[in-house]
Amino acid sequence: MSEIASSNPVPVPADFIRDIVTTHVAEKRYPQIITRFPPEPNGYLHIGHAKSICLNFGIAREYQGRCNLRMDDTNPAKEDLEYVESIQEDVRWLIRGWADHCLGLKAQGTGPIDEVIGGRTDYRMEAVMAADGVEREPFFASDYFEQIHRYAVQLIRLGKAYICDLSPADTEHYRGSPDRPGTDSPFRTRSVEENLALFARMTAGEFPDGARTLRAKIDMSSPNIWLRDPVLYRIRHVEHHHTGARWCVYPLYDFAHCLSDYLEGITHSICTLEFEVHRPLYDWILQALTLPRPLPHQYEFARLNLGYTLISKRKLMALVKEGLVSGWDDPRLPTLSGMRRRGVRPEALREFARSIGVTKYNALTDVAVLEKAIRDDLNRYATRRLAVLRPIKVVLTNLGETETVELTAVNNPEDPASGTRTIQLTREVWIEQDDFMEVAPPKYFRLRPGGEVRLKYACIIRCDDVVKDAAGRITELHCTAQFDTRTGGTNAAKKVKGTIHWVSASLGIPAEVRLYDRLFTEEEPEKDGRDFKSVLNPGSLSVVFGFIEPSLSGANLGENFQFERLGYFCLDSDNSATKRVFNRTITLKDAWAKESVKV
RNA sequence: UGGCCGAUGGUGUAAGGGUAGCACAGGGGUCUUUGAAGCCCCUAGUCAUGGUUCGAAUCCAUGUCGGCCAGCCA
């Protein structure tokens, strides 16, 4: 099956970042291209992260480089082990069969090693690839706390950082505003010795949370706020999920990130646009330390915005915490775990990422692009099966109660190698309620009183009688089967306008099927500052009980099916031996739905 | 009213001085034992105004519009 996917030549993407990397490769600027994907373990990964993962791992694989998976875990108050685990699972899932060989991890439990360069002790974090056969784990920024702390001491010695006693509120006041310069902290001129002593006491836990900070000494009047003596270290008497109680001072993102990149030998540190204004600080820190090895550089691209979708860990967290969805892996969520549960394959997500490109323009991507990628992937890959979601009974009056007709059905017309299976036609079958209309419009190709339609893989039937109950509701349709129109039959070539799917009423298996629609009724849920909770789609989940063909009793978690004429489906994790539960990944395109609304 | 970044069909994205191309969406047709898929065709665009140039989407200037930045979050 994977041969199908790989037999289609995948165009190598080009974008402004890859252009830069291509130039650097041509210049032989680096021995190897090393990128990184550095999520903070404070939530689950979503489709926005998928764009970043595809970019970073994509570059790594295109240039025979490596992409380090790193937990950017410098804020213990918000982070959790649950997230570091889900992140690993999601990343591995997304790059599976594509960039596994580029996944940079480190040997279990290791940290940076000392390295003396030019008489000066520096530090380096080594990656270990899968081929090396050792137990591995992701990188953790928190594994570098010791080294980062030493770099902070160096900065103090250089007179480029100081301990500030300003309260958080005062720090804010002194910072000024975008159009008004800040004011120097009264603690800015402390001696190196005093700063060193104070930093040591901070680190030793002598001061309460928020009492003091370590700040870079840059320029309080800089038009760039992030150069106005940014805070580098803060006091937090909190246990860390990875380092335990070892520290009570934690570096901030700006200080930890550039140094983590440096320690790992990252060549291209790719992040989203909102960090653009941080880049001068990123460069300042690395340059201030006059580090002996090549410095990483930061490049920024626009984060993903998707129609009818909320992409923000914080807001997804709100949906989860408030019980508006069933969990981080609710199939309606754009989380990787949610989409995986829904039946989206990593191939589709990768194709989506490729097709939207990488730019610095803050775009709103049409959700149809995602849907197209999912359908294209599943069309090629998914096994075809028959299922009826909203059943109505058809009695084939010319077939005996115990008679069955054996038929051959194609498993996937897009993939001849997938072969065929045998299905049984019986006297009573289920068809879709939508596939019969008592009073049908002219362009309706399906079953109507006196009309003919083909039962997929079987034969043409004619509707002779519509049977109703006392209340006038249709209970069943009496039809005659034209067996000579079967495949290979004497009248097989007979044409009718419509072909519909069906499931044997006596052999079919009942199943619960969960149908998903977009979570929001508005393309931009938060447009004009509106609360996204006010535009939740009440119909985003509907549950139906239908019948599936017998072979589906052998379905496994992780397999994708096309229920013919309906859409793509997969087993849900709620499935059990006694209760079949399927998710609809996405519908098939429905030309009739468009046609039928035309007057 | 500070700084940084951006602007190409409805939506995205190419073209980086030389014919504005591709995808999605939309429309039409064809095929069809999935009203799917496939195949064919169509619709539709360089934010504005100046300037440089034989020639500008591309370079320059100004303007307009949009995004980001004032966490001891990332």
Side-chain angles (χ1 to χ4, degrees):
Chain A
M1 287 168 230
S2 59
E3 283 101 42
I4 298 170
S6 59
S7 68
N8 295 320
V10 178
V12 177
D15 54 65
F16 78 99
I17 293 180
R18 278 182 249 243
D19 288 348
I20 292 167
V21 177
T22 303
T23 304
H24 292 167
V25 168
E27 291 170 349
K28 300 192 196 316
R29 187 182 293 207
Y30 305 103
Q32 187 185 28
I33 300 300
I34 305 173
T35 59
R36 105 263 95 112
F37 174 63
E40 182 187 14
N42 67 344
Y44 279 62
L45 262 27
H46 52 60
I47 192 164
H49 294 109
K51 179 181 181 185
S52 176
I53 292 167
C54 290
L55 211 212
N56 280 295
F57 281 91
I59 288 173
R61 68 189 286 279
E62 286 151 32
Y63 297 94
Q64 291 78 49
R66 183 212 324 155
C67 177
N68 287 357
L69 172 60
R70 177 166 82 218
M71 300 299 155
D72 203 0
D73 55 351
T74 57
N75 186 358
K78 291 188 174 176
E79 297 152 9
D80 197 277
L81 213 50
E82 176 193 354
Y83 304 127
V84 346
E85 279 158 10
S86 72
I87 287 168
Q88 291 185 67
E89 186 184 355
D90 290 346
V91 169
R92 287 176 187 278
W93 173 76
L94 186 57
I95 68 171
R96 190 186 61 203
W98 178 67
D100 313 72
H101 59 293
C102 301
L103 174 61
L105 298 173
K106 69 178 176 75
Q108 190 85 36
T110 57
I113 52 169
D114 288 7
E115 184 183 45
V116 178
I117 306 177
R120 185 246 260 252
T121 300
D122 198 41
Y123 318 103
R124 192 179 63 207
M125 185 66 226
E126 215 95 57
V128 173
M129 303 313 281
D132 299 337
V134 268
E135 197 65 20
R136 305 189 303 160
E137 66 177 351
F139 296 91
F140 290 81
S142 58
D143 281 330
Y144 315 148
F145 283 170
E146 191 67 54
Q147 289 72 24
I148 291 170
H149 191 271
R150 286 182 208 162
Y151 283 127
V153 169
Q154 286 180 33
L155 226 39
I156 294 171
R157 291 221 163 88
L158 260 9
K160 292 177 177 174
Y162 62 96
I163 301 296
C164 182
D165 303 357
L166 251 24
S167 69
D170 285 339
T171 306
E172 192 183 322
H173 292 138
Y174 276 76
R175 184 157 36 228
S177 61
D179 56 349
R180 218 183 52 247
T183 313
D184 283 3
S185 159
F187 306 99
R188 202 171 198 261
T189 53
R190 281 218 250 241
S191 69
V192 168
E193 292 66 33
E194 190 182 2
N195 283 322
L196 250 18
L198 250 16
F199 191 46
R201 294 177 59 197
M202 251 172 83
T203 306
E206 291 188 28
F207 311 120
D209 287 4
R212 290 182 223 260
T213 57
L214 177 73
R215 293 230 255 162
K217 192 188 286 188
I218 309 180
D219 178 9
M220 287 307 290
S221 63
S222 170
N224 183 339
I225 305 263
W226 293 101
L227 260 19
R228 320 242 265 228
D229 290 11
V231 174
L232 266 24
Y233 259 95
R234 78 292 221 181
I235 302 172
R236 286 285 178 277
H237 291 270
V238 181
E239 284 215 8
H240 188 285
H241 60 90
H242 191 68
T243 59
R246 160 82 247 257
W247 299 92
C248 66
V249 291
Y250 292 96
L252 274 97
Y253 165 83
D254 288 292
F255 194 55
H257 203 87
C258 54
L259 290 170
S260 301
D261 285 344
Y262 171 76
L263 290 170
E264 293 175 21
I266 302 301
T267 56
H268 300 261
S269 180
I270 301 166
C271 61
T272 45
L273 247 28
E274 63 269 27
F275 292 100
E276 214 162 10
V277 289
H278 293 241
R279 187 178 354 125
L281 176 55
Y282 183 104
D283 293 335
W284 184 91
I285 293 169
L286 296 176
Q287 278 158 20
L289 256 5
T290 59
L291 297 161
R293 287 186 294 122
L295 304 183
H297 289 280
Q298 176 182 304
Y299 307 88
E300 311 87 9
F301 70 99
R303 66 170 345 127
L304 172 70
N305 298 297
L306 233 205
Y308 298 97
T309 307
L310 214 52
I311 303 183
S312 147
K313 266 194 276 187
R314 214 194 87 241
K315 288 158 195 166
L316 294 176
M317 173 90 77
L319 288 170
V320 173
K321 289 272 155 74
E322 293 179 36
L324 270 8
V325 295
S326 65
W328 284 102
D329 68 345
D330 187 300
R332 293 167 294 181
L333 255 23
T335 51
L336 298 189
S337 52
M339 291 189 292
R340 177 169 61 233
R341 180 173 175 186
R342 181 155 167 172
V344 175
R345 305 200 317 139
E347 287 80 353
L349 258 17
R350 281 185 237 134
E351 167 54 22
F352 170 69
R354 192 201 59 74
S355 68
I356 60 175
V358 178
T359 67
K360 299 187 77 155
Y361 175 71
N362 207 287
L364 174 63
T365 299
D366 193 332
V367 71
V369 179
L370 206 216
E371 294 171 345
K372 165 79 174 166
I374 296 171
R375 287 198 182 99
D376 279 357
D377 173 55
L378 259 13
N379 176 48
R380 269 173 285 151
Y381 179 80
T383 303
R384 312 291 128 125
R385 288 294 183 262
L386 298 179
V388 173
L389 266 29
R390 296 179 175 89
I392 176 174
K393 187 170 282 183
V394 164
V395 180
L396 302 176
T397 50
N398 58 336
L399 191 60
E401 303 242 358
T402 56
E403 269 184 280
T404 63
V405 180
E406 284 213 342
L407 306 160
T408 300
V410 172
N411 287 327
N412 183 352
E414 302 289 325
D415 177 14
S418 67
T420 61
R421 67 188 184 283
T422 300
I423 54 177
Q424 318 275 341
L425 181 68
T426 53
R427 176 178 166 88
E428 297 194 343
V429 300
W430 300 112
I431 68 165
E432 212 68 55
Q433 286 170 21
D434 281 353
D435 288 339
F436 173 80
M437 279 185 96
E438 202 167 12
V439 182
K443 284 183 169 170
Y444 188 79
F445 300 158
R446 285 108 96 156
L447 200 59
R448 64 177 85 198
E452 291 181 338
V453 78
R454 180 176 283 278
L455 293 183
K456 179 87 179 176
Y457 302 124
C459 60
I460 293 171
I461 61 170
R462 188 183 62 243
C463 179
D464 305 315
D465 272 307
V466 179
V467 182
K468 299 180 179 177
D469 63 12
R473 282 184 305 250
I474 298 170
T475 53
E476 55 188 41
L477 271 15
H478 283 8
C479 302
T480 28
Q482 299 163 27
F483 295 111
D484 61 347
T485 61
R486 276 182 59 187
T487 308
T490 54
N491 203 10
K494 179 172 175 181
K495 301 286 182 199
V496 284
K497 283 294 256 182
T499 298
I500 64 174
H501 58 277
W502 55 276
V503 169
S504 161
S506 53
L507 304 173
I509 303 164
E512 173 182 332
V513 183
R514 299 173 181 175
L515 310 176
Y516 304 104
D517 197 354
R518 40 194 60 153
L519 231 200
F520 299 98
T521 54
E522 295 289 331
E523 184 173 33
E524 296 180 75
E526 299 191 289
K527 194 183 177 75
D528 302 325
R530 125 235 295 166
D531 182 357
F532 62 80
K533 278 171 234 152
S534 68
V535 290
L536 279 168
N537 177 9
S540 62
L541 166 65
S542 55
V543 180
V544 296
F545 296 89
F547 296 93
I548 57 180
E549 71 166 77
S551 71
L552 244 11
S553 64
N556 295 306
L557 232 44
E559 292 177 339
N560 297 275
F561 301 97
Q562 183 196 100
F563 290 175
E564 295 210 41
R565 300 210 312 130
L566 293 172
Y568 298 97
F569 295 79
C570 69
L571 220 48
D572 185 78
S573 47
D574 283 347
N575 184 73
S576 69
T578 51
K579 188 173 104 171
R580 312 305 286 176
V581 182
F582 281 86
N583 292 319
R584 182 175 68 196
T585 310
I586 194 164
T587 60
L588 249 27
K589 262 180 42 182
D590 187 354
W592 169 242
K594 273 180 196 166
E595 184 63 37
S596 62
V597 298
K598 293 181 187 170
V599 198

